Amino acid sequence: MELIIFLIIGALAGFAAGLFGVGGGTIIVPLLFIVFTRMDYSPDSIMHLALGTSLATIIVTSISSLMAHNKKGAVMWPVFKNLAPGLAVGCFLGAGIAGQISGLYLQLIVGVFLLWLGYKMFTDGKKRLDSNINSASNGNAVLPSKSKQLAAGGVIGVASAILGIGGGSLTVPYLTRYGVVMQKAVGTSAACGLPIAIAGALGFMVFGMQQEVNVPNTIGFVHIYAFLGISIMSFFTAKLGAKVAHMLSPQLLKKCFAVLLTVVGCYFLFKGLL
């Protein structure tokens, strides 16, 4: 039964990863939180396990989503090279920071952030995006300098670890803010999810092993069975999500993304405050 549950979570998360470029974390974290709670795991470890396991599974979903978006020419590789070092270092350090925050505060942090981001994405979705894909893809005319992109990657990495996401919730609005069309932003975000996921998963394993996690089948704050079940299914459904993403308008994608973030944010605030 547990494996079936993890496979279902993987199917939903993979589709979301391909559709929104979010790595599936906004789906995986709340669902794992529910599952781990019903398994009667220690309340002090549930949220950390959800975050660490989420980042570990994003390694697989980001690869699948990246391959699909790259075939469409939607990955801005020069921008990825500027962001990646900061993303990796920031996410590893962010895992250490998350380990020092209580599960309750992590719930509230995630809830508030997703509500704010959902509002921003919905309002920004009303604005017209730059339709010149060629100028957006080279990044020279509309994006900040390499050093500023590196710094932005560090901030996104730290936040991604604390939120257990592949960085799409930050990378996508960061890119669209400078006029990058939604499909390009989603494709590049999918690529950025890989260094975030690898560094974040390692961080939660390392820092988790320094604490007493009385939960079976785990390495630090990463649940092995959940990682395997979610990864297997999400690898296939991420491709389907990526195909759907290129069939929809940028404005519609932004609004759907905003609704998803708002629902998940309300859930975490509701559970945290109660």
Side-chain angles (χ1 to χ4, degrees):
M1 181 60 68
E2 290 181 11
L3 180 59
I4 294 176
I5 292 175
F6 293 142
L7 289 173
I8 293 174
I9 294 175
L12 296 173
F15 184 79
L19 184 62
F20 301 117
V22 296
T26 51
I27 296 293
I28 296 173
V29 173
L31 292 181
L32 284 181
F33 177 84
I34 295 173
V35 172
F36 290 159
T37 299
R38 293 187 175 276
M39 289 181 177
D40 294 325
Y41 289 168
S42 171
D44 295 333
S45 302
I46 289 177
M47 195 63 187
H48 297 85
L49 282 169
L51 296 176
T53 305
S54 172
L55 285 169
T57 60
I58 291 172
I59 295 176
V60 179
T61 59
S62 62
I63 292 175
S64 178
S65 181
L66 164 62
M67 293 171 60
H69 283 292
N70 191 45
K71 289 181 180 179
K72 300 286 187 178
V75 180
M76 300 161 59
W77 288 111
V79 176
F80 167 78
K81 292 178 181 178
N82 294 335
L83 292 173
L87 293 171
V89 174
C91 198
F92 185 84
L93 296 177
I97 296 174
Q100 302 302 315
I101 303 176
S102 70
L104 175 60
Y105 286 134
L106 283 176
Q107 286 178 241
L108 296 176
I109 290 172
V110 171
V112 171
F113 171 77
L114 292 182
L115 282 178
W116 174 81
L117 187 58
Y119 170 77
K120 290 291 292 182
M121 288 296 291
F122 189 82
T123 55
D124 289 346
K126 297 178 181 179
K127 302 176 182 179
R128 295 186 61 183
L129 300 177
D130 187 353
S131 61
N132 190 339
I133 296 180
N134 292 327
S135 65
S137 63
N138 60 40
N140 292 329
V142 296
L143 293 173
S145 64
K146 291 183 178 180
S147 60
K148 289 183 178 180
Q149 290 183 49
L150 178 64
V155 174
I156 293 173
V158 172
S160 297
I162 296 175
L163 300 172
I165 59 177
S169 300
L170 290 168
T171 308
V172 170
Y174 171 75
L175 294 176
T176 56
R177 175 184 178 184
Y178 293 100
V180 178
V181 294
M182 189 63 174
Q183 279 84 350
K184 290 281 185 176
V186 169
T188 305
S189 172
C192 290
L194 187 56
I196 287 176
I198 294 175
L202 289 175
F204 273 99
M205 286 182 182
V206 171
F207 296 113
M209 286 188 290
Q210 295 176 1
Q211 304 182 28
E212 294 184 2
V213 183
N214 297 319
V215 177
N217 308 313
T218 61
I219 299 178
F221 287 127
V222 175
H223 193 290
I224 302 303
Y225 288 172
F227 163 71
L228 292 175
I230 295 173
S231 298
I232 291 172
M233 186 60 72
S234 63
F235 181 82
F236 299 102
T237 57
K239 296 180 180 179
L240 176 61
K243 291 182 180 179
V244 174
H246 288 272
M247 297 169 58
L248 301 176
S249 69
Q251 292 78 10
L252 179 59
L253 269 179
K254 273 200 166 187
K255 291 180 180 179
C256 291
F257 192 17
V259 171
L260 174 64
L261 294 175
T262 301
V263 171
V264 177
C266 288
Y267 169 78
F268 273 113
L269 282 182
F270 177 76
K271 294 292 292 184
L273 293 176
L274 291 180

